């Protein structure tokens, strides 16, 4: 019997090659940081967004996927970046970096402003094909992750769980975390039924994630 929310199987060579070509040549660039809906770029291309709590390794993953080591800037202060950051990928895609959530030290007014912007963005972006929700493999899904997942459910935005820092967890412990992740995902109707396991440091899952993005239309 197949597990619910299995890990993505090995993709065929054509899908992997399509992903490689899309991201070849370091062709991703920072476009702009947005603090209000009026600042969003035109919805004229395929768009994917990356969401995750602070310190989940989001910047490292974006850099690994794009092959640009300093494209997304990691902050030592969780929650410091309060913008929706847009990156171009050739002239066919936007990669969108949502601010890290779950930060404890940000002022309440800042948190509320970001939450409003996030809800407006997710509800009103017709070209948004998928959200990638990043989960630290060491910790599994936490309550703050479920909050963003519920928001994606209500916004009817398909999201896919991407487990980060997989190299930091032993195989026997990883299975326990995967069981917890699968159980939590089963409660969310917008969850895509496959999980991506990644390590930015080791390169695991990066080609798979590129192929998934390249296959969206």
């Amino acid at each position: 019997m197949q597990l619910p929310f299995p890990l993505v199987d090995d993709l065929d060579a054509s899908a992997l090659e399509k992903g490689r070509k899309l991201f070849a040549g370091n062709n991703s660039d920072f476009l702009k940081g947005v603090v209000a809906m009026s600042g969003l770029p035109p919805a004229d291309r395929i768009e994917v967004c990356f969401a995750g709590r602070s310190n989940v390794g989001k910047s490292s993953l974006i850099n690994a996927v794009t092959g640009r080591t300093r494209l997304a800037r990691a902050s030592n202060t969780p929650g410091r970046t309060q913008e929706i950051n847009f990156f171009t990928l050739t002239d066919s895609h936007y990669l969108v970096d949502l601010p890290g959530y779950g930060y404890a030290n940000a002022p309440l007014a800042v948190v509320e402003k970001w939450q409003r912007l996030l809800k407006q963005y997710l509800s009103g972006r017709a070209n948004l094909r998928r959200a990638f929700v990043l989960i630290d493999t060491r910790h599994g899904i936490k309550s703050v992750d479920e909050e963003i997942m519920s928001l994606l459910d209500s916004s009817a935005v398909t999201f896919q769980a991407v487990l980060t820092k997989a190299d930091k967890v032993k195989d026997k412990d990883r299975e326990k975390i995967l069981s917890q992740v699968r159980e939590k995902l089963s409660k969310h109707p917008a969850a895509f039924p496959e999980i991506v396991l990644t390590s930015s440091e080791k390169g695991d899952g990066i080609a798979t994630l590129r192929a998934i993005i390249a296959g969206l239309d």
Side-chain angles (χ1 to χ4, degrees):
M1 183 177 68
Q2 187 176 16
L3 288 169
F5 296 96
L7 297 177
V8 176
D9 287 333
D10 290 335
L11 300 174
D12 61 42
S14 62
L16 292 170
E17 178 63 10
K18 186 176 180 180
R20 186 197 67 79
K21 285 183 176 179
L22 179 62
F23 287 89
N26 294 329
N27 54 14
S28 299
D29 290 297
F30 175 73
L31 177 65
K32 65 188 305 189
V34 174
V35 295
M37 289 292 287
S38 59
L40 293 179
D44 58 357
R45 63 190 71 184
I46 293 170
E47 189 164 303
V48 299
C49 68
F50 294 82
R53 63 180 180 267
S54 298
N55 293 335
V56 75
K58 182 156 52 67
S59 295
S60 296
L61 184 70
I62 292 173
N63 290 339
V65 168
T66 59
R68 297 283 304 276
T69 57
R70 293 182 175 85
L71 184 66
R73 292 177 293 177
S75 171
N76 292 325
T77 305
R80 187 181 69 179
T81 303
Q82 299 303 317
E83 298 178 337
I84 297 178
N85 289 315
F86 280 77
F87 303 92
T88 56
L89 177 60
T90 66
D91 58 356
S92 62
H93 290 69
Y94 287 131
L95 305 182
V96 183
D97 181 10
L98 301 179
Y101 54 82
Y103 39 86
N105 296 324
L108 181 59
V110 171
V111 175
E112 291 177 343
K113 180 181 178 181
W114 175 78
Q115 288 175 336
R116 286 196 301 271
L117 177 59
L118 178 62
K119 289 177 181 178
Q120 291 171 336
Y121 166 72
L122 293 175
S123 300
R125 199 66 173 165
N127 60 323
L128 180 60
R129 294 295 187 269
R130 187 167 301 175
F132 295 104
V133 178
L134 278 52
I135 307 296
D136 191 323
T137 308
R138 298 171 298 179
H139 307 303
I141 292 177
K142 294 189 174 183
S143 58
V144 289
D145 299 313
E146 292 203 85
E147 289 176 14
I148 193 77
M149 291 174 183
S150 295
L151 177 57
L152 289 160
D153 289 337
S154 63
S155 302
V157 175
T158 299
F159 71 87
Q160 187 161 13
V162 177
L163 271 60
T164 62
K165 306 182 183 181
D167 58 302
K168 308 296 184 184
V169 179
K170 295 179 180 178
D171 289 346
K172 62 181 180 66
D173 298 323
R174 186 184 301 166
E175 287 307 314
K176 181 179 179 181
I177 292 294
L178 281 170
S179 294
Q180 186 261 7
V181 169
R182 287 171 174 135
E183 189 272 329
K184 296 290 187 182
L185 289 176
S186 67
K187 301 175 183 178
H188 294 279
F192 189 81
E194 289 182 326
I195 298 169
V196 186
L197 194 66
T198 68
S199 166
S200 299
E201 188 173 316
K202 302 293 185 182
D204 299 341
I206 300 304
T208 296
L209 194 51
R210 289 171 174 167
I212 290 170
I213 294 171
L216 298 171
D217 52 25

